[in-house]
Amino acid sequence: MNSWKWIWRTTAVSSAAATLLLAVGFGYGAKELVFPSANRIDAEASAKAPLTERTPSAEEGNYRIVSIGDSLAKGTGDTTGQGFARRTAALLDKKSEREVRFLNNLGINGMTTDELLQELEEPGIQYVLKEANVILLSIGANDLFQGGAALQTGTNNPSAAALAQALPAASNRLGEALERLREINPSAQIVYLGLYNPFGDIESLRQAGDEGIAEWNAKAAERIAKEQNMMLTPTFDLFQRNTAAYLSFDHFHPNSAGYQRIAERVVQGLE
C-alpha cells in the first residue's frame, strides 16, 4: 500500500514540474511575440527588407563593378563580348591587389539619356547599383547621333545646327542622371565615359561632330567636377587619329582594340 502512495506522489510531483516548465516556456514565447529581442528584430527586418534597401555584403576593400548606359556600356562591337567594362575589371584584377568582382552589365543598345532616367527608377536596377562601389556609365551618343544613323542611312547628317539643337536638353538629362546615380549610391566611384566623334575621318561630318562632342564633353566635365567620387574618362583623342584602327565594322562602336584602349584609360583614372 505504501509503495502505491509513493508512486502516486512521484507522479504528482513530476506532473507539477512539467506543468511549471510548460508555463515558463509559454510565457517566454509570448514575451518574444509581444516584445521580440533586438537580435530577432534585426534578423527579421533583414530577411523581409526590400532588396533595394539592403546593405552590400562585399568587403569595402574590393572592387565591385557595374556598367550601365548605352551600347558602349554593353560592349557592342567587341568580338570577344567583353566591352570596356569587363576589360576594365580584367585589367584591375591583374594590376591591383584588391579582389575584383564584376557584378552586372546593364548596358542596352540604343539607350538615350531620357531612357536612362527611366531605367534608374527600376527597383532591380537600383539594387544592383547599390551593391557596386564602381559604376561605369556611357550615355549621350544616341542623343546626338541617333546611334550612327547619320552614317548608316546617309540621311540626317549631324550638322552643326542639329547637334546644337539636341545638345542642351540631352546635357541637362545627363546631369539629372548623374545626380540620380549619386542618390541611389552615395559612395560609389562614378566613371563617366566621355564621347568621341565616330565621323572624324569623314570630311563632311568631321567639323560638326568635333564641335558638338567638344561642347558635350566640356559641359559633362564641368558638371562632374562639382561632385566627389565622380570622374570623366576622355576618349576623344583615342579615336581622333585612329578611327580605322579602333572602330568596328559599323563605323560607330569601338572594336576590341578600341575597347581595350578605353579600359586602359579607365584603370589609369581609378588607380
Side-chain angles (χ1 to χ4, degrees), residues 129-142:
L129 292 172
K130 287 182 179 183
E131 289 289 307
N133 60 13
V134 176
I135 299 174
L136 306 177
L137 171 64
S138 173
I139 200 73
N142 294 310

Side-chain angles (χ1 to χ4, degrees), residues 16-40:
T19 302
L20 180 61
L21 183 61
L22 180 62
V24 171
F26 178 80
Y28 180 78
K31 176 179 176 292
E32 278 293 291
L33 287 174
V34 178
F35 304 108
S37 64
N39 290 339
R40 182 181 171 192

Side-chain angles (χ1 to χ4, degrees), residues 226-253:
K226 299 177 182 178
E227 298 288 339
Q228 296 263 335
N229 288 336
M230 197 177 291
M231 71 182 204
L232 183 147
T233 297
T235 64
F236 183 88
D237 61 304
L238 293 178
F239 294 85
Q240 189 175 24
R241 295 182 178 85
N242 300 287
T243 306
Y246 293 141
L247 285 184
S248 67
F249 66 91
D250 64 6
H251 207 282
F252 188 73
H253 299 97

Side-chain angles (χ1 to χ4, degrees), residues 3 13 50 57 91 94 163 181 184 220 229:
S3 61
V13 171
S57 58
L91 285 173
K94 288 181 180 179
L163 286 173
L181 279 170
I184 294 169
N229 288 336

Side-chain angles (χ1 to χ4, degrees), residues 187-231:
S187 60
Q189 176 76 54
I190 298 174
V191 182
Y192 175 66
L193 201 66
L195 300 189
Y196 60 87
N197 181 13
F199 310 116
D201 60 344
I202 302 175
E203 186 174 355
S204 61
L205 308 179
R206 182 186 304 119
Q207 183 176 353
D210 284 354
E211 291 175 354
I213 293 299
E215 184 176 353
W216 174 275
N217 287 337
K219 288 182 178 295
E222 181 181 2
R223 173 66 184 78
I224 287 170
K226 299 177 182 178
E227 298 288 339
Q228 296 263 335
N229 288 336
M230 197 177 291
M231 71 182 204

Side-chain angles (χ1 to χ4, degrees), residues 148-177:
L151 181 68
Q152 296 170 13
T153 66
T155 60
N156 299 320
N157 286 348
S159 65
L163 286 173
Q165 183 177 3
L167 196 146
S171 182
N172 288 337
R173 288 192 295 270
L174 171 63
E176 293 175 19

